[in-house]
Amino acid sequence: MNSDYRPLLGRELDESGIDELLTEAGVGVLSMSADGVPYGVPLSFGYDGDDNLYFVFLGSTTELRKETYAEQSEVASFTTSDISTDGSWRSVIVAGPLDRITPGEWDKAREAMIDNAYQSKLLAEYELQENPNVWTLGIQDRSGRAIGRQ
């Protein structure tokens, strides 16, 4: 790789830097694949501070596109970032399997989403349905990079 581009790559984030961004960001892009066709969707998310991200699939279409891709993806990835006006940025990519939560997992999922999801106050009033359309990404791989802010 040409050394002229190395500064653009930034530095690797350590585990605490990755956790910090996952806790603060609240929004990112979930990327899935079904039958070799990719699908990326911007979503709000909750992070449990350990190894799980949680997503509520709202506004489902009659084709249930998000659900179909989530069910068929062996591994999904999720990217979140924070870009400042001073040119500094951070980004994190995590990957792992997607699973629909059970009603017994709802309290943990809702707590994680209330802590950092975008417009999380709406979840405080969300009533548990018999089969909630909430999914978890079990983080098996994580990485992050940053430029600026130490």
Side-chain angles (χ1 to χ4, degrees), residues 70-87:
E71 289 169 355
Q72 293 185 24
S73 292
E74 288 184 33
V75 175
S77 70
F78 185 77
T79 304
T80 189
S81 61
D82 176 27
I83 303 169
S84 297
T85 57
D86 68 0

Side-chain angles (χ1 to χ4, degrees), residues 7-107:
L8 297 175
L9 294 176
R11 62 177 162 67
E12 257 185 74
L13 288 177
D14 60 15
E15 286 297 317
S16 67
I18 291 171
D19 284 340
E20 182 180 298
L21 184 55
L22 288 173
T23 301
E24 293 175 2
V27 203
V29 176
L30 177 63
S31 298
M32 304 169 281
S33 177
D35 298 323
V37 179
Y39 178 54
V41 60
L43 289 171
S44 179
F45 72 99
Y47 174 55
D48 69 0
D50 192 19
D51 289 322
N52 294 289
L53 298 183
Y54 296 95
F55 312 94
V56 177
F57 287 0
L58 298 173
S60 295
T61 62
T62 55
E63 300 90 33
L64 299 174
R65 190 171 187 186
K66 286 181 278 211
E67 292 81 356
T68 299
Y69 274 82
E71 289 169 355
Q72 293 185 24
S73 292
E74 288 184 33
V75 175
S77 70
F78 185 77
T79 304
T80 189
S81 61
D82 176 27
I83 303 169
S84 297
T85 57
D86 68 0
S88 61
W89 57 263
R90 302 177 291 169
S91 66
V92 166
I93 300 172
V94 299
L98 281 171
D99 292 299
R100 195 168 185 167
I101 69 163
T102 64
E105 297 170 293
W106 170 241
D107 289 336

Side-chain angles (χ1 to χ4, degrees), residues 90-143:
R90 302 177 291 169
S91 66
V92 166
I93 300 172
V94 299
L98 281 171
D99 292 299
R100 195 168 185 167
I101 69 163
T102 64
E105 297 170 293
W106 170 241
D107 289 336
K108 182 177 179 181
R110 182 164 69 171
E111 183 178 318
M113 289 184 288
I114 286 173
D115 283 347
N116 71 301
Y118 176 73
Q119 294 198 358
S120 61
K121 63 183 175 285
L122 299 175
L123 293 169
E125 299 170 5
Y126 185 81
E127 292 295 323
L128 177 64
Q129 302 166 358
E130 186 173 311
N131 193 12
N133 201 5
V134 179
W135 293 75
T136 182
L137 186 151
I139 300 172
Q140 294 179 338
D141 187 39
R142 62 178 77 210
S143 63

